[in-house]
Amino acid sequence: MTGHDETHGRNLLAHALLPVANEEDALATARALEPYDPDRVTALHVVEKGDGVPDKTPVEQSEELAAESYAGVRTVFPDAGEHTAYSRDVVDAIFDAAGEVDASAIAYRPRGGNRLAQFLSGDLSAKLVTDAPVPVVALPRAESAER
């Protein structure tokens, strides 16, 4: 008999996809995931694309933000992979990335803060947990441990 942490015979955290917004968020999210000891981690940064208008942030700035985010995750998971997506719909980009990297689950930390950090709040969070193609793990927020 398999345990409750298995999905179709696969460990839930065999390959965790970790959406991150920036370096501070990435570090806090990776630290929240660390106690669960995932076998493999891929950090995901979604660059929001405008709809027929220039990107919300310049490409160079977005790519620098992604690199800093991946560095934050690697502070906790040195072997973490990285995946950058460019999309108008952040949640759809997360779902697509989960398929592309063959993630066993999406692990995320509910966020507050600025627009980038809020991409997993409110309606987007509801869409993430109800429409995901793989299990979604909501990580606990540390009490003021984040800087």
Side-chain angles (χ1 to χ4, degrees):
M1 183 171 169
T2 59
H4 293 316
D5 65 343
E6 305 240 344
T7 304
H8 303 292
R10 185 176 187 193
N11 184 306
L12 189 63
L13 292 180
H15 184 185
L17 181 67
L18 206 61
V20 292
N22 55 46
E23 185 176 15
E24 180 182 355
D25 175 63
L27 185 56
T29 303
R31 284 180 176 155
L33 179 62
E34 186 177 23
Y36 302 96
D37 194 26
D39 296 338
R40 184 173 166 206
V41 173
T42 296
L44 168 67
H45 182 80
V46 179
V47 177
E48 292 182 84
K49 304 286 283 178
D51 192 4
V53 296
D55 293 346
K56 293 182 178 184
T57 53
V59 172
E60 298 79 14
Q61 185 182 341
S62 296
E63 289 176 351
E64 186 176 322
L65 196 58
E68 290 169 356
S69 298
Y70 302 144
V73 171
R74 287 199 183 104
T75 300
V76 179
F77 298 106
D79 298 328
E82 61 183 57
H83 190 86
T84 306
Y86 299 83
S87 179
R88 283 190 289 266
D89 186 315
V90 174
V91 176
D92 281 348
I94 293 170
F95 294 166
D96 290 346
E100 288 167 22
V101 305
D102 192 29
S104 59
I106 298 164
Y108 84 104
R109 191 177 55 90
R111 296 139 168 97
N114 66 25
R115 176 184 54 78
L116 269 177
Q118 287 178 343
F119 75 89
L120 288 176
S121 64
D123 291 342
L124 293 181
S125 188
K127 180 178 178 187
L128 181 70
V129 299
T130 56
D131 297 343
V134 295
V136 175
V137 178
L139 300 167
R141 289 187 60 125
E143 296 253 341
S144 302
E146 301 158 28
R147 292 186 269 177

